Amino acid sequence: MELKGIHHVAYRCKDAKETVEFYQKHLNMDFQLAIAEDHVPSTGAYDPYMHLFLDAGNGNVLAFFELPEQPTMGRDGNTPEWVQHIAFQVEDLDALLAAKESLEAAGIDVLGPTEHTIFKSIYFFDPNGHRLELAANTAKPGMLEELKRVAPEMLDEWSKTKKAPRHADWLHGRGEFKPQ
């Protein structure tokens, strides 16, 4: 099997129209299409829904389902809010800072920019409570290659110890990056 990319990623929303308007206004996403049915095609179950598709750039599609006859949507109470999020890439640091200014001017609370060494990012929530991240890449030459090189060792160590491996301490400000 050869994957060609992600066709779409789907999340639940509270209100389809409000969701489309938020992503159009604040993230400049193009509303691509909507599908509405009373029965779920894959199961045949009665469960009316509106399925929305938004263009997130470069062939990436973000989709949402409004499910009016299901219990009110919530979030996984066993998972911290910062874990589950949707991260979008922006052109550069200037675009990131401009986005932050625009979001804050619209009354949206924004956290950051946060320094991740290989990128900087800001965080905020959509009207559904989904955490969103905008990220601008800032990696220096060799950083991503080094992270890929040590990834299998880090995973093996984590699998055994459940403690943060120190193979890339430079990523979190503990030490200096030295290309191999």
Side-chain angles (χ1 to χ4, degrees):
M1 173 180 11
E2 181 184 341
L3 298 179
K4 299 295 184 182
I6 293 175
H7 187 275
H8 68 276
V9 176
Y11 289 84
R12 187 167 175 197
C13 67
K14 296 174 184 176
D15 181 282
K17 186 170 180 55
E18 177 185 44
T19 298
V20 168
E21 289 171 351
F22 176 88
Y23 282 87
Q24 285 177 320
K25 178 179 179 181
H26 299 296
L27 296 176
N28 201 29
M29 287 189 185
D30 187 37
F31 179 34
Q32 297 289 300
L33 63 110
I35 300 170
E37 295 288 344
D38 288 327
H39 292 83
V40 179
S42 60
T43 68
Y46 175 78
D47 197 0
Y49 66 86
M50 170 62 73
H51 193 21
L52 313 165
F53 295 78
L54 296 143
D55 181 355
N58 293 321
N60 297 291
V61 176
L62 179 60
F64 291 94
F65 281 96
E66 182 180 344
L67 305 169
E69 295 192 14
Q70 290 293 327
T72 303
M73 75 179 259
R75 55 173 304 280
D76 176 1
N78 293 325
T79 302
E81 283 184 341
W82 60 268
V83 173
Q84 293 176 338
H85 63 278
I86 308 166
F88 301 101
Q89 183 175 327
V90 296
E91 183 68 29
D92 54 25
L93 190 54
D94 288 339
L96 183 70
L97 297 175
K100 176 181 171 133
E101 185 177 313
S102 175
L103 290 163
E104 288 177 335
I108 298 170
D109 290 332
V110 179
L111 176 66
T114 300
E115 174 64 62
H116 299 286
T117 304
I118 57 173
F119 61 94
K120 289 185 181 181
S121 59
I122 61 172
Y123 302 91
F124 55 99
F125 289 90
D126 80 358
N128 306 296
H130 300 303
R131 190 177 202 216
L132 304 178
E133 175 181 7
L134 298 181
N137 291 329
T138 58
K140 293 178 182 166
M143 285 182 167
L144 297 177
E145 293 80 5
E146 177 62 9
L147 289 171
K148 183 173 182 174
R149 184 187 74 77
V150 299
E153 298 167 28
M154 290 178 70
L155 181 59
D156 286 343
E157 184 176 327
W158 174 264
S159 182
K160 293 172 189 163
T161 68
K162 301 301 181 198
K163 304 249 186 258
R166 299 293 178 217
H167 297 74
D169 269 356
W170 54 266
L171 189 62
H172 304 289
R174 294 183 296 269
E176 184 179 332
F177 172 68
K178 294 177 184 148
Q180 290 286 334

